[in-house]
Amino acid sequence: MTQWNPDLLPGYEATDLALPEGVRAAGEPDDVALVATLVRRIHAGDQGRRPALLYVHGWNDYFFQTHLADAVEAMGYAFYALDLRRYGRSLRRGQLPGFITDLDEYHTELDAAADLIAAQHDGLLAMGHSTGGLVTALWAAARPGRLRGLVLNSPWLDLQGSALVRTLGSPLIDALGSRNPTSVLRLPPDLGFYARALHSSLEGEWDYDLELKVTPSPPIRAGWLRAILAGHQRVAAGLGIDAPVLVLASGATDFARRWHEGLRTVDSVLDVEQIAARAVRLGGHLTLVRIPDGMHDLVLSAPDVRARTLDEIARWTAAYAGGTSLPVPPTA
């Protein structure tokens, strides 16, 4: 029987998903288990067998967006979130934050989470943000018939930068990632602008845990980037996801190297034009929605922008994924 314990978020509970076959990276302690963490809202009374939505975070992230959970519940879905291995609630002593060498390894925790949810709910919708969007898209393609629909919030479907840079860089990353996967790549530093636009201590709105979503972000390792590039190549070849897919992206990108207030109204992490161009390779039933003034995590944008984002998700789920058309609660 699954043991649920109080979560770090009030009104939520969590359970560890054991990953006994998980591969430890070089230097990680043998006595520390790899786990993922499934989080859900606590409900009083019988909720019936209504469908559920499973949310998967992005790089250097964890689930804390409780207003998203409120909106999803208003759409008629029970809300669950998964902190992947080595992220957020699942990161353990001595482990390399976010590290993986094959994105398909995440199928283990996604399958386990989906199986637990299926024991109580009829029908599953998945939602992934950024790197979590790439992870959930690959999983959905590998599990035909499992999902009613897939919602992708600024998914990382391609490597930003010119095609020439990507082509020249891939062989080097492939070789280094295979030979020395934990080696740290020398990339332009994280200037902290995205965190500045988000966190309440840095002029933003959101009070998330700075030990679970750190600034600057963790170092990028060769094996991890090799896994990401392999995932991008599979998207480019076409995934053939059989469920309806909703892709949401900001209206504009800005990779500024100096802070300005406009960074609160753009995606400062990914190239949204590449997201839009690559989205057509996901499957045969695709809806693409551009959100003007949206930040990278669209549901953390300004109140009116995130309200539009949540409304687009609500209307899409009602039309294509079997949700109800209940109104989304207003956001503060």
Side-chain angles (χ1 to χ4, degrees), residues 15-17 28-29 31-37 84-97:
T15 189
D16 287 347
L17 304 177
E28 290 187 328
D31 62 337
V32 179
L34 281 169
V35 301
T37 309
L84 300 168
R85 66 184 76 182
R86 299 189 180 96
Y87 284 99
R89 299 164 176 82
S90 305
L91 182 63
R92 299 293 188 264
R93 170 182 58 85
Q95 294 177 350
L96 303 181

Side-chain angles (χ1 to χ4, degrees), residues 79-167:
F79 182 87
Y80 291 78
L82 182 65
D83 278 14
L84 300 168
R85 66 184 76 182
R86 299 189 180 96
Y87 284 99
R89 299 164 176 82
S90 305
L91 182 63
R92 299 293 188 264
R93 170 182 58 85
Q95 294 177 350
L96 303 181
F99 184 73
I100 201 85
T101 57
D102 183 348
L103 297 183
D104 284 355
E105 290 184 32
Y106 289 132
H107 291 359
T108 302
E109 52 251 58
L110 284 162
D111 286 342
D115 289 344
L116 274 178
I117 292 169
Q120 297 189 34
H121 301 277
D122 292 331
L124 179 64
L125 182 72
M127 179 177 182
H129 167 58
S130 195
T131 308
L134 175 60
V135 168
T136 54
L138 295 172
W139 177 64
R143 300 291 185 268
R146 182 114 217 200
L147 296 177
R148 286 189 177 186
L150 177 64
V151 177
L152 302 179
N153 169 7
S154 303
W156 194 13
L157 303 179
D158 197 5
L159 188 66
Q160 56 265 39
S162 71
L164 178 62
V165 170
R166 296 199 302 276
T167 300

Side-chain angles (χ1 to χ4, degrees):
M1 182 176 180
T2 303
Q3 178 67 45
W4 293 90
N5 300 303
D7 185 53
L8 57 88
L9 295 173
Y12 290 77
E13 56 189 2
T15 189
D16 287 347
L17 304 177
L19 305 171
E21 304 302 318
V23 179
R24 289 177 175 81
E28 290 187 328
D30 292 334
D31 62 337
V32 179
L34 281 169
V35 301
T37 309
L38 185 62
V39 182
R40 70 179 182 184
R41 281 177 40 132
I42 298 172
H43 295 103
D46 181 19
Q47 294 294 310
R49 293 194 58 86
R50 60 187 174 139
L53 179 143
L54 176 62
Y55 171 81
V56 181
H57 59 82
W59 165 252
N60 184 32
D61 210 350
Y62 72 106
F63 166 65
F64 64 89
Q65 301 89 336
T66 56
H67 64 289
L68 170 63
D70 294 340
V72 167
E73 297 265 345
M75 296 173 203
Y77 289 85
F79 182 87
Y80 291 78
L82 182 65
D83 278 14
L84 300 168
R85 66 184 76 182
R86 299 189 180 96
Y87 284 99
R89 299 164 176 82
S90 305
L91 182 63
R92 299 293 188 264
R93 170 182 58 85
Q95 294 177 350
L96 303 181
F99 184 73
I100 201 85
T101 57
D102 183 348
L103 297 183
D104 284 355
E105 290 184 32
Y106 289 132
H107 291 359
T108 302
E109 52 251 58
L110 284 162
D111 286 342
D115 289 344
L116 274 178
I117 292 169
Q120 297 189 34
H121 301 277
D122 292 331
L124 179 64
L125 182 72
M127 179 177 182
H129 167 58
S130 195
T131 308
L134 175 60
V135 168
T136 54
L138 295 172
W139 177 64
R143 300 291 185 268
R146 182 114 217 200
L147 296 177
R148 286 189 177 186
L150 177 64
V151 177
L152 302 179
N153 169 7
S154 303
W156 194 13
L157 303 179
D158 197 5
L159 188 66
Q160 56 265 39
S162 71
L164 178 62
V165 170
R166 296 199 302 276
T167 300
L168 292 177
S170 293
L172 175 62
I173 295 302
D174 188 59
L176 182 59
S178 176
R179 184 175 65 252
N180 191 4
T182 61
S183 60
V184 175
L185 300 175
R186 294 184 179 181
L187 299 175
D190 176 6
L191 300 177
F193 293 161
Y194 185 49
R196 179 173 176 177
L198 290 180
H199 200 269
S200 57
S201 69
L202 302 170
E203 305 176 19
E205 180 180 353
W206 306 99
D207 186 23
Y208 54 82
D209 190 328
L210 289 170
E211 293 187 359
L212 300 183
K213 181 178 173 67
V214 301
T215 300
S217 59
I220 301 300
R221 300 180 185 272
W224 178 85
L225 187 54
R226 179 174 182 255
I228 295 294
L229 290 173
H232 289 163
Q233 291 166 5
R234 288 162 63 186
V235 173
L239 291 185
I241 296 172
D242 64 341
V245 181
L246 170 64
V247 174
L248 302 124
S250 174
T253 290
D254 189 341
F255 294 139
R257 304 306 290 173
R258 291 186 178 182
W259 171 260
H260 62 86
E261 287 299 309
L263 293 176
R264 303 183 190 278
T265 60
V266 295
D267 191 324
S268 61
V269 178
L270 296 181
D271 185 330
V272 295
E273 299 306 324
Q274 288 178 282
I275 293 174
R278 188 57 63 85
V280 296
R281 307 301 299 164
L282 294 171
H285 187 157
L286 173 76
T287 304
L288 173 65
V289 177
R290 303 294 294 271
I291 305 292
D293 297 329
M295 288 199 294
H296 177 53
D297 188 341
L298 293 162
V299 304
L300 300 183
S301 301
D304 60 327
V305 180
R306 65 178 180 261
R308 176 180 172 183
T309 301
L310 295 171
D311 180 64
E312 293 286 357
I313 296 171
R315 292 194 296 122
W316 183 86
T317 57
Y320 296 118
T324 61
S325 56
L326 297 175
V328 174
T331 56

